[in-house]
Amino acid sequence: MKHVLNKLSDGHSLGREEMREAVREMLQEGTTESEIACFLTLLRIKGETVDEITALVEVLREQAMPVRKLEQGVMDNCGTGGDRSQSFNISTTSAFVLAGAGVKVAKHGNRSITSRTGSADVLEGLGVALDFDGEEIEELLNRNNIAFLYAPFVHKSLKKVMKVRREMKIPTIFNLIGPLTNPVQLDTQLVGVFRRDKLETMAEVLRELGRKRAVVLNGAGQMDEASLAGENHLTILEDDRISSVILKAEDVGLNSYGNEEINGGSAGENAAILMNVLEGREGAHLDTVLFNSGIGLYASGKAGTISEGVHLARESIRSGNALNALQSMIHYSANRRKKVIPS
């Protein structure tokens, strides 16, 4: 690890194979927490490259809980976190809207690290299990179009790294790669990032990882979600080509709201917001979910345009399909054997 840390401290980037070896060493028992913190900090200061991010993701997916290759068309809409916006759980709520619209969503998520309430905190409060194994994930996707993959359960080799991340309390490369380490082989993906300068980098990583289609976005106010407050910067991967667009709420027929109007709170408060949205209560929370779900439906290929995606998202909620997807996952969770959940 010393050689790698010295190289990074001199401002040099790591090649892909060199980064793979560094990650494997980081995950070994003998590596200290201070070495891990130093490694993550130096990568952040230098700026993470496509090769470094791709290599880290490849190693983590190799060591993750195995999930056999599922039928085509599975996506994830997990954001990176790290934007410190204190918003409610937008992508988690949107995941059920996507599922209700017929998209298979392998939702990867965690407890709160740099935000107030993470997706796992909210879903656990609603009665969703955090320990689905590979067979259950497959069954849920086939039966209900959505499964939740709790990162510490899926990536058990990261226990020490997760402890270091919590203590560091700053965004690191793990905020960038969290959405990419899903062990399910995804065809399409929507990734929100908290750093606008990383949009094209993340799109290039997604191309390296074999995504057929993807949207990477950074919202108004540097949110890792699409925002109704102004310009959203989208980088689109399609047919191996990368392009960029700027999108506002009014471009797809939605109202504008300030980011302060979508603030969240505790896990219980955010769970109540999630339920209100899936039940169709009008306002900033609903329109924000429609916006993000519309982009997700476009990213998945279910909608030909984002405007069409917003229409399909509204129908998913209006029909009750989005709420049914959540209720079915809660019911499934209550009628299965229990496992030991990592803290």
Side-chain angles (χ1 to χ4, degrees):
M1 204 68 176
K2 182 178 179 181
H3 167 72
V4 168
L5 296 179
N6 285 334
K7 186 170 182 176
L8 290 173
S9 66
D10 289 336
H12 300 299
S13 296
L14 305 179
R16 190 173 298 188
E17 188 53 44
E18 192 174 19
M19 182 66 174
R20 287 193 189 102
E21 290 303 315
V23 174
R24 292 187 182 108
E25 187 169 351
M26 178 185 70
L27 298 177
Q28 290 178 1
E29 286 291 327
T31 304
T32 66
E33 293 181 5
S34 61
E35 286 175 321
I36 294 171
C38 186
F39 180 58
L40 299 180
T41 301
L42 289 172
L43 282 169
R44 172 71 188 272
I45 293 171
K46 177 189 68 66
E48 304 89 345
T49 67
V50 171
D51 277 345
E52 288 167 345
I53 298 170
T54 303
L56 175 56
V57 171
E58 288 171 341
V59 173
L60 296 184
R61 293 189 75 246
E62 286 172 3
Q63 300 193 16
M65 179 186 75
V67 180
R68 77 176 192 177
K69 192 175 188 323
L70 304 172
E71 63 180 82
Q72 294 184 345
V74 182
M75 79 169 295
D76 192 2
N77 70 327
C78 181
T80 60
D83 65 7
R84 302 186 182 277
S85 67
Q86 304 303 315
S87 61
F88 76 102
N89 299 89
I90 298 167
S91 64
T92 305
T93 311
S94 299
F96 293 102
V97 179
L98 295 170
V103 177
K104 294 190 182 301
V105 184
K107 183 74 177 78
H108 193 243
N110 206 340
R111 297 193 187 278
S112 171
I113 295 177
T114 57
S115 61
R116 187 170 175 183
T117 305
S119 56
D121 301 306
V122 170
L123 293 178
E124 184 179 49
L126 288 167
V128 173
L130 303 183
D131 56 354
F132 297 127
D133 61 27
E135 290 183 2
E136 290 171 318
I137 290 166
E138 181 181 4
E139 184 177 0
L140 278 165
L141 286 171
N142 289 332
R143 175 193 296 188
N144 198 42
N145 285 342
I146 186 167
F148 183 68
L149 291 85
Y150 176 48
F153 187 75
V154 171
H155 302 284
K156 294 179 180 177
S157 65
L158 287 177
K159 185 175 182 179
K160 186 192 296 184
V161 176
M162 297 301 294
K163 178 177 182 292
V164 171
R165 286 187 66 202
R166 283 193 293 269
E167 292 174 352
M168 290 176 69
K169 299 185 185 303
I170 62 170
T172 69
I173 191 173
F174 275 87
N175 287 96
L176 291 174
I177 61 93
L180 310 180
T181 59
N182 195 321
V184 176
Q185 184 59 48
L186 306 173
D187 288 318
T188 59
Q189 193 157 4
L190 170 61
V191 181
V193 298
F194 68 99
R195 291 174 59 184
R196 192 163 293 172
D197 63 314
K198 288 295 184 182
L199 286 170
E200 188 164 341
T201 297
M202 292 293 281
E204 291 175 357
V205 172
L206 287 164
R207 180 165 58 188
E208 291 293 315
L209 294 172
R211 301 295 187 269
K212 297 175 181 177
R213 184 181 172 104
V215 174
V216 187
L217 68 83
N218 175 264
Q222 303 294 323
M223 287 186 66
D224 72 329
E225 312 277 2
S227 165
L228 303 170
E231 292 185 344
N232 299 274
H233 293 247
L234 279 62
T235 298
I236 301 167
L237 170 65
E238 185 175 12
D239 297 327
D240 211 35
R241 295 192 303 271
I242 293 174
S243 60
S244 298
V245 298
I246 296 175
L247 189 69
K248 295 182 180 180
E250 51 264 36
D251 296 333
V252 293
L254 293 171
N255 296 320
S256 295
Y257 291 93
N259 284 341
E260 70 279 0
E261 297 188 65
I262 57 169
N263 284 346
S266 66
E269 290 167 331
N270 283 6
I273 293 171
L274 183 153
M275 292 297 296
N276 287 339
V277 170
L278 297 188
E279 290 170 356
R281 182 175 296 182
E282 297 288 340
H285 296 124
L286 174 62
D287 279 11
T288 298
V289 169
L290 291 174
F291 198 15
N292 283 272
S293 300
I295 297 171
L297 287 162
Y298 172 74
S300 74
K302 186 78 172 180
T305 66
I306 294 172
S307 293
E308 181 188 351
V310 171
H311 172 75
L312 293 175
R314 195 183 297 276
E315 179 59 24
S316 174
I317 293 172
R318 189 204 62 78
S319 65
N321 290 340
L323 182 59
N324 286 341
L326 170 62
Q327 291 173 334
S328 294
M329 187 183 285
I330 294 170
H331 177 77
Y332 185 94
S333 299
N335 292 277
R336 55 186 288 279
R337 61 189 177 85
K338 308 297 182 186
K339 304 181 185 70
V340 177
I341 307 297
S343 60

